[in-house]
Amino acid sequence: MRRGVKAGQLKVVSEDQIYDLHLAVLNVLEKHGMCIKNETALKLLSEAGSEVNFKRQVAKIPGYLVEEAIGKAPRSIRLAGRNPKNDFILEDKKVFFRVNGLAVNILDLETGIRRRSTIRDVARGAKISDGLPNLDSANEVSAAMDVPMSVVGLYKEKAIMCNTTKHFILAREHGIEVERERIRMAELVAGGDKNLRKRPFISMFISPTSPMVLGEEDTQVIMEWAKARLPLVCASAIYSGGSGPITLAGTVVQGVAESLAGNVLMQLINPGTPYIFGLLPFVLDMRSSAVVTASVEASLMCSLVAQIAHYYGLPSIASGGFTEAKTLDGQAVFEAFMTLTMSALSGVNLLQGIGYLESGITGSYEMVVICNEIAGMLRKFSSGIQVNDDTSAVEAIAEAGHGGHFLGLKHTREHFFSEHFIPELVNRTSFEKWREGGEKRFEERAREKALAILKDHHVEPIDEDLIKEIDLIIDKVEKRELKHRT
Amino acid sequence: MIYMSTVNLKEIADAILALDAETAAEKVKRALEEGIDPAKIIEDGLSTGLKMVGDKFENGEFFLMHLIAAAEAAKKSVNELLLPEIKKQKIKRKVVGRVVIGTVAGDIHNIGKDIVASMLFAAGFEVHNLGEDIPVDEFVKKTIELDADILAASALLTVTMPVQREIIEALKKAGIRDKVKVIVGGAPVTKEWADEIEADGYAPDAIEAAKVTQKLLGKKV
């Protein structure tokens, strides 16, 4: 099992203010309502007590339904890997890190060229995430732009599952007919739906369309995954000032409302189905009209999301690792560090945004490696300082004597590994040693590590027979989708 | 009479600068009642106001939200008061160009596209915002129907980006590819993609989109 260090030291609002925000969320859902573009979902909400306008497709969800649904959602969610040693439990204020699959381009590891991402890159991204110890959930980093778009999700799923034994999260790419097949593929590998449900090695990420809309296809997938009782993240990507209010509290209120609306639907369909609450807060830059992924405002909002998640007792997701930098420079590293640190110290359960440059448009394996190092430091940071009779070192101080030293003490050997963090990428050698080593910059060392993982890391393969069956599914669905289009 | 109408039109411009949709509409209504040419009201009243707002944006005093508020204030007067009058009087309205804009089929995201639509309107274009989840045929049909100069297609998901390519193919098939300039955008859309699908223009954000569109029609920006 993968362990998460408990954080939550960073708070940005008071308890009273959390309650005020909760009331605002209930108000938005009850008085303004959520637009859900699906007849079945609207009927369910209506039957459960919501005031539904079927013509405008808006459901005004009463507070008690929202709170009931929060109550039904599990406090702890097991996200499994193909290998049980990679399972982890999302709960409380324990922090875990994931890569996702956002980018359209990839910074080519061998040439440094920024180019379109391919299915081969999907496999490489998954393998690199698999080979980095501080990443709990692996994903592809970048998209596959060279396979048929009608079934790209299936191609990606196969490539990812073959290159990692860690948990990975899918994003909706298709309509329900094809999305169902992605569950089938996973069930095949897990050895049946019961096994998959017990130890799900995949989950699904759905984003409402802000403000306050759940699209038809997204809603269908939410309902399908709830029926299958597989973990589902319902978290919007809101840009404050554009698709959400300019105020930080307002964007969080809207984001929480949108996420909880998804949960109401999920718990009505299958009470107790695993739901991951959260928000990816961004900012609309009012000078350039660009959507900004890393900012002080976004980090503040992530912290608030964590506090609200703890108040509700819900497993949560928020962003961390993003940067607007166009290249691997100081901006990239400091923005990734800032966003990861704020979210991690706030106790967000699952952080995503690792492995990008350019606001998520270009993936970078160097950034994955760099963020892995930062994640390690944050785990150490979150674990705080151990205070007990032994660590207070009264005896050791006496043993070292006046004017002595501590290097030879048993106390030092006994505690070194648990007290000090040993960085891998960070350079601490002398200048001469650094020069002798080739004067390598930080990002070059990150690149070398990524290349080493691709070369040397071994991922437990999936049984050949299962692969054949997976290929048959992909082939069948591809042909079926081709027929539909012609 | 001429002295009065000049003052009126400046007041309209000032109302736009103040981002006051209601006051602008009141004054537009009064100007129309006084028999002033609607095209002149747009030109000397609304467009002048929008230009003043644009200048303030350029020098850092105003921000995107001011641009959009001003555009929406002007749009209210144009749509509710001026267009009906122009239609009634059968006036041929002089515009920078005609734009058909929408989010492609399978995609319901709208905000970026709507910001672009507002910016183009503010720049003097006649903008037809088709909405979201728009099929390829609809894009082509409306382009022909409205004799559009610009077709702007937005895609927010990697799986819906290919529809932008399909639109260009459909324009070729319909024999009108060379009659309209195609500009593409959306979060995952890059210049390389736009070049690959042989779009005429690409922009990474709404403000650039307005500039690129104007350049495509040979306007100075």
Side-chain angles (χ1 to χ4, degrees), chain A residues 116 243 286-289 485, chain B residues 57 64 111 166 196 205-206:
Chain A
R116 188 86 50 78
S243 57
M286 292 295 184
R287 288 290 318 147
S288 66
S289 73
R485 290 173 66 78
Chain B
F57 174 78
L64 180 64
I111 294 171
E166 288 173 37
E196 185 180 315
D205 59 59

Side-chain angles (χ1 to χ4, degrees), chain A residues 104-105 114 116 143 145 149 152 173-174 209-211 213 215 217 239 242-243 284-290 361 485, chain B residues 57-58 60 62-65 106 108-109 111-112 115 158-159 161-162 166 187-188 190 192-193 196 205-207:
Chain A
V104 179
N105 295 330
R114 172 184 176 269
R116 188 86 50 78
M145 303 299 291
M149 283 296 131
V152 58
E173 319 253 4
H174 308 290
T209 306
S210 309
V213 175
E217 294 177 316
Y239 40 108
S243 57
L284 179 60
D285 184 278
M286 292 295 184
R287 288 290 318 147
S288 66
S289 73
I361 292 181
R485 290 173 66 78
Chain B
F57 174 78
E58 290 302 320
F62 272 8
F63 293 80
L64 180 64
M65 55 205 168
I108 60 170
H109 294 94
I111 294 171
I115 295 176
T158 52
V159 279
M161 275 165 67
E166 288 173 37
T190 58
E192 291 72 29
W193 168 254
E196 185 180 315
D205 59 59
I207 290 175

